[in-house]
Amino acid sequence: ASSAAHQKVCVVGGGPAGFYTAQHLLKACQDVQVDIYERLPVPFGLVRFGVAPDHPEVKNVISTFTQTARHARCCYYGNVNVGTDVSVEELREAYHAVVLSYGAEGNRSMGVPGEDLEGVYPAKDFVGWYNGLPSNRELNPGLDCETAVILGQGNVALDVARILLSPIDELKKTDITQRSLDALAQSRVRRVLVVGRRGPLQVAGTVKELREMVNLPDTKPEMVASEFEGVAEALKVIPRPRKRLTELMLKTAVDPPAEKERQRRQAASLSWGLRFLRSPLEVLAGPDGARVAGIRLAVNRLEGTGDGSVAVPTGEVETLDCGLVITSIGYKSLPIDPAVPFDPRKAIVPNSLGRVQQAAGLYCSGWLKTGPIGVIATTMNNSFDTAHSVVEDLTSGCLDVTSAKPGSTGIGPLLDKRGVKPVSFSDWEKINQEERRRGAAQGKPREKLLDVEEMLKTART
Ligand code: FAD
C-alpha cells in the first residue's frame, strides 16, 4: 500500500543500487514515497545471483535492504519487467522522478572464432548457474575435463576458479544450488588457469580473493616464475592495496616454499595458476567439431607501465589444451526502453551526477550509471550520490512537485490490464521462508527456488 506522501519516486531494479538509492531518499525526504520495481519475483540482484555462495558475510547487506523495503514509505513490486510490462514513459507520467538502477545484465563477448562452441561459457552464466539465476538453471556446464581456462583476472574470475576447485564438503554448507553442487561433486576438473591480457601488476582481483586461492585445501599453485621479472622492483612504487596483492603473488610464484607448504603442495591433487600476457585468438574445437578442446592465445608484451599500460601482441602464439573455457571479461548494461538515452559504446545511460542527460526527472544509479565496476560499497556511494541529486531537484523546484502524481495507483491498473501480478515484499518473505526451510532440511542456509513459476506459486500460497 502506498503512503500519503506527496512526492512520488520510483526505482527500477531491486539490486544494491535500487535499495541504496531508496534508503537515502527515504532518509533525506520525509514527504517522499519510494516504489521499487524489480523484474524477478525475488529481490537483491547480484547479492543473490552474483556474490559467491561461500562469501555469506558479503550478503549481510540484505538485512539493511530488508529494513528499507519494510519502511512505511517504501513499496516493493517484484515480477515487473520495466520496458516490457510497463514503459519508462508510463513510469515518468506516474512519478515525479524515476531512477533507473537495473544493473548490467549483458555479457561482453571476446569476438574470437569458436566462442560459441560447447563448453565455452560467459562467467555471468556460470555464476548464474551455481547461484540459481532462473535463466541459467539449465546451463549444465560440462565438467568432464581436466583443465579449465578462465579468461580475465578480476574477482569474478577468482570466484569461479575457487568454486571449481573447492572441497564439496565446504560448498555443501553454503547456499549454492543443489544441482550445481551435484555437478561439481562429479567434476573431473583438476587444473584451473586464470589468464590475463596484461601482467601481474595489472591484475584486477583483490588480495582477499587471491589469498583464498593460495589457501584452498588440496591445491597447489602453478605459476610461471619468469612472468614475474621486474615485478619485485616495481613493489616500491605501487600503492598499498595493489602492493599487498603483488607481494602475495610474488611469494606464491617465486619464493621457495617453507617445508610445511612444500609438503602441502606435494600432496595436492588439484592445481591453479595465473597466466599473464596472453589474449585469446581462437577457441579450438575437438575432433567432433562441436566441443572445445583448446584455446589459441597471442603472447603479448606491455607498452607503458602501471594501470595505463597496454598489451601488444608479439606475434608469438601458443595453444593450451582445455575442455572448459569461462570468459570473465565483464558484464555490460543493456538498453531496456528505446525512449531512454543510452551510450552503446560505454554501455551506460549518459548522465551527470546521476541525472540522465536531456530527460528531466529521470536518473540512474549503480552499474547502469558507472559501468560494471566496483564492489557493493562503490555501488552504495554512487547510489547515494544519485539520490542526493534527486533530493536537490525535488527541493529546488527543478521538478514540479506541486502537481500531484498517482505513483503506484497509476501503474497498478496498467499492470493488471496486462496480466502482470506484482510480488510484494511480504510475498518475497514467503519465498524466503520456503527456501530456508528447504535449505535446513539439507544442512544449508537456503535452497533457492530456480523457477519463476514456482517462486510465484510459493509467493501466493
Ligand atoms: P544488480 O545487482 O545487477 O541489480 C540490478 C537489478 O535490476 C536486478 O535485481 C535485476 O533483476 C533488476 N532488473 C534488470 N532489468 C530490469 C528491468 N527491465 N526491470 C526491472 N528490474 C530489472 N561486490 C562485493 O562487494 N563483494 C562481492 O563479493 C561481490 N561479488 C560479486 C560477484 C559477481 C559474480 C558479480 C558480478 C559482482 C560481485 N560484486 C561483489 C559486485 C556487486 O554485485 C555490484 O557492485 C552490485 O550488485 C551492483 O548493483 P546494481 O544494483 O547496480 O546491479
Side-chain angles (χ1 to χ4, degrees):
S2 201
S3 65
H6 291 102
Q7 301 172 344
K8 313 280 189 200
V9 178
C10 78
V11 166
V12 176
F19 276 100
Y20 282 126
T21 306
Q23 180 186 329
H24 190 89
L25 283 168
L26 291 163
K27 188 170 153 222
C29 281
Q30 299 312 307
D31 194 26
V32 71
Q33 161 76 30
V34 183
D35 295 336
I36 301 176
Y37 291 95
E38 162 59 47
R39 185 169 56 89
L40 288 166
V42 296
F44 312 136
L46 286 170
V47 176
R48 176 178 165 109
F49 294 118
V51 171
D54 58 345
H55 285 170
E57 69 291 348
V58 178
K59 303 188 197 208
N60 289 343
V61 291
I62 285 177
S63 68
T64 312
F65 299 162
T66 298
Q67 271 177 27
T68 299
R70 288 186 184 147
H71 191 288
R73 287 181 284 115
C74 185
C75 215
Y76 170 83
Y77 298 95
N79 194 38
V80 179
N81 192 349
V82 174
T84 305
D85 298 334
V86 60
S87 72
V88 172
E89 277 315 298
E90 288 165 335
L91 291 176
R92 290 179 74 190
E93 277 293 307
Y95 289 88
H96 294 107
V98 175
V99 185
L100 303 172
S101 33
Y102 61 79
E105 302 213 303
N107 284 310
R108 286 198 186 280
S109 65
M110 294 188 288
V112 304
E115 201 165 356
D116 299 325
L117 287 173
E118 236 175 90
V120 185
Y121 307 99
K124 188 184 162 297
D125 295 353
F126 192 80
V127 169
W129 169 70
Y130 64 63
N131 277 334
L133 188 65
S135 53
N136 295 134
R137 84 198 139 120
E138 305 296 349
L139 193 77
N140 303 323
L143 303 176
D144 197 20
C145 63
E146 174 137 342
T147 302
V149 166
I150 302 174
L151 297 164
Q153 294 180 320
N155 279 340
V156 176
L158 294 175
D159 278 352
V160 169
R162 189 178 71 253
I163 295 296
L164 279 170
L165 295 177
S166 282
I168 291 299
D169 285 343
E170 292 301 316
L171 292 179
K172 241 190 211 158
K173 301 181 223 156
T174 74
D175 68 2
I176 192 167
T177 64
Q178 192 58 39
R179 244 186 228 204
S180 46
L181 192 60
D182 293 342
L184 287 163
Q186 301 295 317
S187 167
R188 289 185 48 235
V189 175
R190 292 281 167 274
R191 179 173 179 242
V192 177
L193 296 176
V194 183
V195 177
R197 239 165 357 114
R198 300 194 288 169
L201 291 168
Q202 288 80 31
V203 165
T206 48
V207 69
K208 172 187 175 229
E209 278 71 14
L210 183 69
R211 189 171 297 118
E212 286 174 318
M213 290 309 297
V214 171
N215 293 336
L216 206 57
D218 196 29
T219 70
K220 62 173 174 253
E222 193 200 304
M223 308 279 246
V224 180
S226 61
E227 291 187 327
F228 286 82
E229 259 168 42
V231 171
E233 292 68 44
L235 271 183
K236 293 177 209 103
V237 292
I238 53 182
R240 196 165 156 70
R242 177 166 297 285
K243 189 170 172 194
R244 285 175 54 212
L245 172 71
T246 311
E247 279 168 347
L248 180 59
M249 274 190 292
L250 271 172
K251 181 165 182 267
T252 311
V254 180
D255 292 0
E259 182 54 22
K260 201 165 152 220
E261 173 63 9
R262 197 188 60 77
Q263 284 175 10
R264 190 189 81 93
R265 290 185 188 178
Q266 205 168 25
S269 59
L270 309 170
S271 73
W272 63 276
L274 299 171
R275 286 290 179 283
F276 299 99
L277 295 167
R278 303 287 187 274
S279 300
L281 288 174
E282 183 178 3
V283 184
L284 305 168
D288 65 353
R291 255 203 93 75
V292 53
I295 184 159
R296 215 150 56 83
L297 299 166
V299 180
N300 302 326
R301 66 184 164 76
L302 276 190
E303 250 172 34
T305 52
D307 284 349
S309 62
V310 280
V312 184
T314 60
E316 198 186 324
V317 167
E318 76 182 26
T319 300
L320 267 178
D321 293 337
C322 60
L324 176 65
V325 171
I326 294 171
T327 60
S328 182
I329 52 176
Y331 288 49
K332 183 170 114 183
S333 292
L334 303 169
I336 55 162
D337 191 315
V340 177
F342 192 79
D343 177 342
R345 203 177 52 82
K346 292 190 189 150
I348 57 167
V349 169
N351 70 91
S352 47
L353 299 175
R355 295 179 178 97
V356 178
Q357 285 161 18
Q358 270 122 39
L362 192 60
Y363 302 81
C364 59
S365 64
W367 275 14
L368 180 64
K369 173 189 180 185
T370 60
I373 41 165
V375 291
I376 295 168
T378 333
T379 298
M380 176 184 79
N381 288 324
N382 92 56
S383 303
F384 286 173
D385 290 345
T386 293
H388 186 77
S389 294
V390 178
V391 174
E392 246 178 34
D393 295 353
L394 285 173
T395 46
S396 71
C398 221
L399 294 173
D400 180 15
V401 286
T402 53
S403 58
K405 293 269 191 177
S408 64
T409 350
I411 299 301
L414 289 179
L415 295 175
D416 200 42
K417 205 167 69 192
R418 293 168 191 165
V420 180
K421 297 202 166 39
V423 166
S424 68
F425 202 76
S426 53
D427 288 343
W428 145 249
E429 286 177 321
K430 287 187 212 155
I431 300 175
N432 186 25
Q433 245 177 25
E434 175 61 15
E435 290 187 342
R436 286 173 178 275
R437 192 189 63 76
R438 291 188 191 189
Q442 300 173 74
K444 302 165 74 176
R446 156 188 321 275
E447 186 63 49
K448 291 177 187 166
L449 301 187
L450 303 180
D451 178 51
V452 169
E453 285 311 313
E454 197 182 6
M455 289 176 182
L456 294 177
K457 230 172 72 199
T458 309
R460 282 165 196 146
T461 47

